[in-house]
Amino acid sequence: PQRATDSGSPALSYEQAVVLQVQNVNDSPSNIVLSATSFPEDYRVIAANSLNNLGLLSATDPDSGSTFTYSIAAFAGTDDNSLISIVGNTLFMKPVFNYEKRTSYKFRVKVTDNGLPGFAAMSLIKEITINVTDVIEPTAITNVTAGRRPGSELVDISYNLSDPDANATVAVIMVVSDD
């Protein structure tokens, strides 16, 4: 019970029980997580839609029993949103990753919960970064030609080497045979 007392003489007071009712409200989702955010260059898990399947989105929400809808959230400063699509809670991406061209991608995802009876649905927008890791790629040897110099035991060999990895060191070993 609550009691109120005045400062008169004699002091008068009144006492009554007070009942407070707290009503639940719909809280916004509190986080969005992608099941994986780091991929090796040349990563390919091509789905039926011809896009790279990057993984599953999940959300946390303080309200139990919430279901979620995921979408791409537009924002200024990047065009990476045009590279992704979301179907259900699966994130897809168009490019095949190439570390030598690009090491990360950023985009924003919006999750909206289903609301509670009598309450509007709530949303959260979060930036997600995909990191691309380097893979050592094989060196290509092309245009190999060899010919013995006339009247000599010397052989001229020419070839082209190409390695897509930046600052790669290439070692060439020559094996000489009498065959």
Side-chain angles (χ1 to χ4, degrees):
Q2 296 293 315
R3 170 175 257 191
T5 304
D6 68 13
S7 58
S9 179
L12 300 174
S13 64
Y14 178 76
E15 189 173 297
Q16 181 173 344
V18 177
V19 177
L20 296 175
Q21 291 183 337
V22 178
Q23 292 187 341
N24 191 16
V25 297
N26 185 30
D27 296 301
S28 296
S30 57
N31 197 14
I32 304 170
V33 176
L34 179 60
S35 56
T37 57
S38 184
F39 297 90
E41 67 179 318
D42 301 323
Y43 171 82
R44 288 183 177 95
V45 176
I46 305 299
N49 59 7
S50 298
L51 300 174
N52 242 352
N53 179 343
L54 294 188
L56 300 176
L57 293 162
S58 61
T60 52
D61 191 320
D63 301 312
S64 63
S66 292
T67 58
F68 305 104
T69 304
Y70 300 91
S71 59
I72 300 165
F75 71 107
T78 183
D79 60 354
D80 290 351
N81 279 7
S82 66
L83 303 175
I84 65 169
S85 66
I86 298 172
V87 177
N89 69 328
T90 304
L91 180 71
F92 297 95
M93 197 159 183
K94 293 177 186 174
V96 173
F97 301 127
N98 184 337
Y99 181 86
E100 285 74 35
K101 291 185 179 177
R102 190 149 179 206
T103 60
S104 67
Y105 297 83
K106 291 183 184 209
F107 50 88
R108 288 193 180 178
V109 172
K110 178 180 180 181
V111 62
T112 303
D113 67 14
N114 60 324
L116 294 173
F119 296 98
M122 301 292 285
S123 297
L124 170 73
I125 295 175
K126 182 177 178 185
E127 183 174 278
I128 295 177
T129 301
I130 297 292
N131 294 303
V132 180
T133 58
D134 196 12
V135 172
I136 297 174
E137 296 162 301
T139 300
I141 301 175
T142 57
N143 301 322
V144 177
T145 60
R148 186 176 298 250
R149 290 186 185 178
S152 171
E153 293 295 316
L154 298 177
V155 175
D156 289 325
I157 300 174
S158 67
Y159 51 87
N160 294 330
L161 296 176
S162 63
D163 193 315
D165 293 314
N167 301 319
T169 300
V170 178
V172 176
I173 299 173
M174 298 285 191
V175 178
V176 179
S177 172
D178 289 335
D179 293 337

